Amino acid sequence: MRDQTNVKLRLSNSELWGGLIGLALGGFVIWSGLKLKLGTINDPGSGYVLFYTGILMCVFAGSIIISAITEGGPTLASRWENVRWSKPLLVIACLAAFSFALEPLGFLLSSIPLLLLLLRLIDPVRWTLAIPIAVLVPSGMWWVLKRLLLIQLPSGLFGIG
Amino acid sequence: MDTLVNVAHGFGVALLPINLLYCFIGVFIGTLVGVLPGIGPISAMSLLLPVTLSGTPESGIIMMAGIYYGSMYGGSTTSILVNIPGEAASVVTCIDGHQMAKQGRAGPALGISAFGSFIAGTFALVALMLVAPKLASIAIAFGPAEYFSLMVLGLVVLTFLTQGSMPKALLMACIGVVLGLIGLDSITAQPRLTFGRMELIDGIGLVPVVMGLFGVAEVLLNTEQAIKRDIINAKITHLLPTKADWQASTGPVARGTLLGFLLGILPGGGAVVASFASYALEKRLSKTPERFGHGAIEGVAGPESANNAAAGGAFIPLMTLGIPPNVVMALLLGAFVIHGLQPGPLLITQNPGLFWGIVASMYIGNVMLLILNLPMIGMWVQLLKLPYNILFPLIILFTILGVYCSSNNVFDVYVMIAFGIIGYFMRKLGYEPAPLVLAFVLGPMLENNLRKSLILSQGDLWTFVQRPISAACLSLALVLLIAPLLPALRKKRELVALDEGA
Amino acid sequence: MSRYGLKTIAFAAMQVVGALLATAANAQDYPTKPVTLIVPWPAGGSTDISMRAIADSASKVLGQPIVIDNKAGGGGTVGPATMAAAAKPDGYTISQIPITVFRLPLMQEVSWDPAKDFTYIVHLTGYTFGVTTSAESQFKSWKDVVEFAKANPGKVTYATPGTGTSLHVGMEQIAAMSGIKLTQVPFKGGAETNAAVLGQHTMLQADSTGWRPLVDAGKLRLLMVWTGARSPNYPDVPTLKELGYPMVYDSPFGIAGPKGMDPKIVAKLHDAFKKAVEDPAVIATLAKYDMVPNYKNTDDYKKFVVEVTESERKVIDTLGLAKK
């Protein structure tokens, strides 16, 4: 009998994918090393260590791929079985939106909505608690940093903060 | 006898009310910046340096030193509670410390790191008093070839940090080295792997990488669990380490202290290597190495002692040779010089009051820190009782703030978010972040020293074997690499033999 | 406890609280937040400490703290190059500009153009350079080094704070004049070269006066200084000229910001740093490293940059170090 979550040479094998990504990165590092010049052994150039590290990466990635093919590995789907995969995805989306908003809006205007969203999205906190936390914590931290530690947080286009 | 007279004289200086006050302010600020991830002792000391200039040299330097070792105490708190290491030296504390917290043993973990820090700090000071001048030679015995071999040894240590597959850990380490090399080449000033991005010219910061891979990734992993609420549901049993905890920790604390003190003397990543090496050592010596990574108290006690002892050891090259082993010590050197003193071989004889006063004040500061930190354990543990759906958003906010404050750079926040997402997928696929972080720190030093030693030896690779310290490091690395393989090989051979028999 | 004691404590506490609470005096005008000064050398070297003393004095004039950011590497060019590439010309990021910033572009491909990428602000001071060896070394004088190097070409190694620094170029000039071959090992700055020569990992050290406490303690032997006249602190040590090399190296330096800074901000920074190099406390700190103020205003500094680039071009060409 074959375990459906442990596959060998299949496109759904997660180990295989990890190894392939490693191999691609290794190849890229070797190429960058060559482009930066290896130099000579008595005066190694900027690409010397990168080149050899890239080779090592390919070797390790290769051994991951080989063991993925010979011993098999869990499928990609099984890694996300029985978990609420939508939650991390939502948090990642919030963080991505936040990184786009941070510079134009400034720290206060971007972090208050971020906190509110996070409080409501990962198992909702009731509004009466979520709103005060989302407003007070960032403002409090902002005040402490600006007044006590003289650290200027990004203020954004509207100059708030 | 001379030493006793000097120590007494030192305490006379340190116990002056004004110096006691400066010492307290120093350790208090140190604890604060240590707990807040991202804001390290360096930024706090740079900002306060001008303040110390108005008082006497003693009080100014006592306060600066207080900030430094105070921050070492606080550094482990966030590692244990929420898996966010405040600095490179406490990355390794995350591995078992946070697991302990998840099992409801945050109290003992925090307790043992406070006591371990105190013991290590005290030992380092006694050693500083007795043998400082004799140990100065260690700091200069390490040239480029020796550093290269030490870094190799440090990288081999990472094979002990992983519970999973070895090729994966090694691949992560290589990626760490490459990430560490991004930016301008430290020898030829050529941009490397910057993809034409201006922000990458300066390289990637350690703080955003660490906070992304640990802090943000941890939150992402936790949000997907619907029923298993590790942090909240665990019952908090003890606030302080039990007798059994102490028995388990005595050895690790003692070994960590010694290791940390000796490696701390070395200019460059001494404290970081010491904390990782101590973890590896304890795992190797342990009768039950499988407990490591699942909340073994030895994995907290050893590294925490090591990094505090290293903080003490770091004073030796500064006080005896005038060579600062890290940026914090260099700031202290600056404080000395601006006060009109020149640390160097003559400092102790020319200014005994100053040297012994500072050492004595550090002893008093350590006691203050213990008194300050123990009651806070209860408070920190209460923090874990916050509902996870409030705690997680707050953790994200704090990592963002911490990263921004460490560099005043919005780009670092993006880097952290990116590494948080990468870290999440890495962990899902069974790749661990600790080897990457260790290699990220050691990689640039490894590269720089390799190139310098090859220039020095005119391309002769034997230099690494001919120099005794370097050879010792390399053979130790070799032993560490091969030793775990031997039993496996033997087993395989037995299996083959059995097959043939059948 | 005496009343005096209490008063001092209260005073100290007030100072600390005051520093923590200090905010910008006028929110409208520059500077309204701390200024970052990049020092492209490791913390703890002679440049770092003298720049800290200067920055501390200048910050009192500016009314805002000046935060030192050590970005070492590339012979002191990594910091300025990073600033030229990434910083905004708002006056909140400025950098110390060592002479390598002008010299390295003549020797290899670099990411910056010294003529275009910086707004030069003020010229400050220069170094005293010297060549040292371990007290346990066989070399008692420079003559011993030359003799040994003649018999063993390339075997004499010297530590410098980076490729293309005045120390590197100067040593190569000396070697060319004596007909010997030396091997340069580039470090990042004074703290590292001190350790390298003290541990006898390199035979010689060529660096600015960070070696002073070690020479004073008899751990290092000073073989020569590169100033015009003998140093008053070391009257027995010969200068380059006395040894038969008609050169003087002091590698003067100043500060600059990224290109395109507002002239008003430049003027404010210029005034603050001018006052700083006139401050007796700063002069005293500089004197510890045998450095003297060498003030030049913004316009003179700009002219000086052009002159230096030209004279460096000649030296680099004759030594055969120019980029192909």
Short mmCIF file of all heavy atoms in Angstrom, two decimals, chain C residues 68-88:
data_model
loop_
_atom_site.label_atom_id
_atom_site.label_comp_id
_atom_site.label_asym_id
_atom_site.label_seq_id
_atom_site.Cartn_x
_atom_site.Cartn_y
_atom_site.Cartn_z
N ILE C 68 27.07 59.06 15.47
CA ILE C 68 28.13 58.50 14.63
C ILE C 68 27.72 57.12 14.16
O ILE C 68 27.26 56.29 14.94
CB ILE C 68 29.45 58.38 15.43
CG1 ILE C 68 29.86 59.73 16.01
CG2 ILE C 68 30.55 57.77 14.56
CD1 ILE C 68 30.45 60.69 15.04
N ASP C 69 27.89 56.88 12.86
CA ASP C 69 27.57 55.58 12.29
C ASP C 69 28.85 55.04 11.65
O ASP C 69 29.34 55.59 10.69
CB ASP C 69 26.46 55.77 11.25
CG ASP C 69 25.99 54.44 10.66
OD1 ASP C 69 26.47 53.40 11.13
OD2 ASP C 69 25.16 54.47 9.74
N ASN C 70 29.41 53.97 12.24
CA ASN C 70 30.65 53.42 11.69
C ASN C 70 30.34 52.45 10.57
O ASN C 70 29.74 51.41 10.79
CB ASN C 70 31.45 52.69 12.78
CG ASN C 70 31.86 53.61 13.89
OD1 ASN C 70 31.17 53.73 14.89
ND2 ASN C 70 32.96 54.29 13.71
N LYS C 71 30.74 52.82 9.35
CA LYS C 71 30.57 51.91 8.21
C LYS C 71 31.95 51.71 7.61
O LYS C 71 32.34 52.42 6.71
CB LYS C 71 29.69 52.55 7.14
CG LYS C 71 28.21 52.48 7.41
CD LYS C 71 27.46 52.72 6.11
CE LYS C 71 26.12 53.39 6.30
NZ LYS C 71 25.28 52.81 7.29
N ALA C 72 32.68 50.71 8.15
CA ALA C 72 34.07 50.54 7.76
C ALA C 72 34.20 49.69 6.53
O ALA C 72 33.29 48.94 6.19
CB ALA C 72 34.84 49.92 8.91
N GLY C 73 35.33 49.78 5.88
CA GLY C 73 35.64 48.90 4.77
C GLY C 73 36.03 49.66 3.52
O GLY C 73 35.76 50.85 3.39
N GLY C 74 36.73 48.95 2.61
CA GLY C 74 37.12 49.55 1.35
C GLY C 74 38.03 50.76 1.53
O GLY C 74 37.94 51.71 0.76
N GLY C 75 38.89 50.73 2.54
CA GLY C 75 39.80 51.84 2.78
C GLY C 75 39.06 53.14 3.06
O GLY C 75 39.52 54.22 2.70
N GLY C 76 37.93 53.04 3.72
CA GLY C 76 37.19 54.26 4.08
C GLY C 76 36.27 54.76 2.98
O GLY C 76 35.81 55.89 3.03
N THR C 77 35.97 53.91 1.98
CA THR C 77 35.08 54.39 0.92
C THR C 77 33.69 53.78 1.01
O THR C 77 32.76 54.29 0.40
CB THR C 77 35.65 54.05 -0.48
OG1 THR C 77 35.82 52.64 -0.56
CG2 THR C 77 36.95 54.75 -0.73
N VAL C 78 33.54 52.68 1.75
CA VAL C 78 32.23 52.04 1.82
C VAL C 78 31.19 53.01 2.39
O VAL C 78 30.08 53.12 1.87
CB VAL C 78 32.30 50.73 2.66
CG1 VAL C 78 30.91 50.22 2.98
CG2 VAL C 78 33.06 49.66 1.89
N GLY C 79 31.56 53.75 3.44
CA GLY C 79 30.63 54.70 4.06
C GLY C 79 30.20 55.80 3.10
O GLY C 79 29.01 55.96 2.82
N PRO C 80 31.16 56.60 2.56
CA PRO C 80 30.77 57.66 1.62
C PRO C 80 30.02 57.12 0.41
O PRO C 80 29.06 57.73 -0.06
CB PRO C 80 32.10 58.27 1.20
CG PRO C 80 33.04 57.95 2.30
CD PRO C 80 32.59 56.65 2.88
N ALA C 81 30.43 55.93 -0.11
CA ALA C 81 29.77 55.37 -1.29
C ALA C 81 28.32 55.04 -0.96
O ALA C 81 27.41 55.29 -1.75
CB ALA C 81 30.50 54.12 -1.76
N THR C 82 28.10 54.48 0.23
CA THR C 82 26.74 54.16 0.64
C THR C 82 25.92 55.43 0.73
O THR C 82 24.77 55.49 0.26
CB THR C 82 26.75 53.48 2.03
OG1 THR C 82 27.70 52.44 2.01
CG2 THR C 82 25.39 52.93 2.37
N MET C 83 26.50 56.47 1.32
CA MET C 83 25.78 57.73 1.46
C MET C 83 25.45 58.30 0.08
O MET C 83 24.30 58.70 -0.17
CB MET C 83 26.62 58.74 2.24
CG MET C 83 25.98 60.11 2.33
SD MET C 83 27.03 61.30 3.15
CE MET C 83 28.19 61.66 1.85
N ALA C 84 26.45 58.32 -0.82
CA ALA C 84 26.21 58.90 -2.15
C ALA C 84 25.09 58.15 -2.86
O ALA C 84 24.29 58.74 -3.59
CB ALA C 84 27.49 58.83 -2.99
N ALA C 85 25.01 56.85 -2.61
CA ALA C 85 24.02 56.05 -3.33
C ALA C 85 22.64 56.13 -2.71
O ALA C 85 21.64 56.15 -3.40
CB ALA C 85 24.48 54.59 -3.38
N ALA C 86 22.57 56.17 -1.38
CA ALA C 86 21.28 55.93 -0.75
C ALA C 86 20.71 57.10 0.06
O ALA C 86 19.50 57.14 0.29
CB ALA C 86 21.39 54.70 0.15
N ALA C 87 21.55 58.05 0.52
CA ALA C 87 21.03 59.04 1.45
C ALA C 87 20.36 60.21 0.73
O ALA C 87 20.71 60.55 -0.40
CB ALA C 87 22.15 59.55 2.35
N LYS C 88 19.39 60.82 1.41
CA LYS C 88 18.75 62.02 0.86
C LYS C 88 19.63 63.24 1.18
O LYS C 88 20.22 63.29 2.26
CB LYS C 88 17.38 62.21 1.52
CG LYS C 88 16.36 61.19 1.07
CD LYS C 88 14.97 61.60 1.56
CE LYS C 88 14.03 60.43 1.55
NZ LYS C 88 13.64 59.97 2.88
#
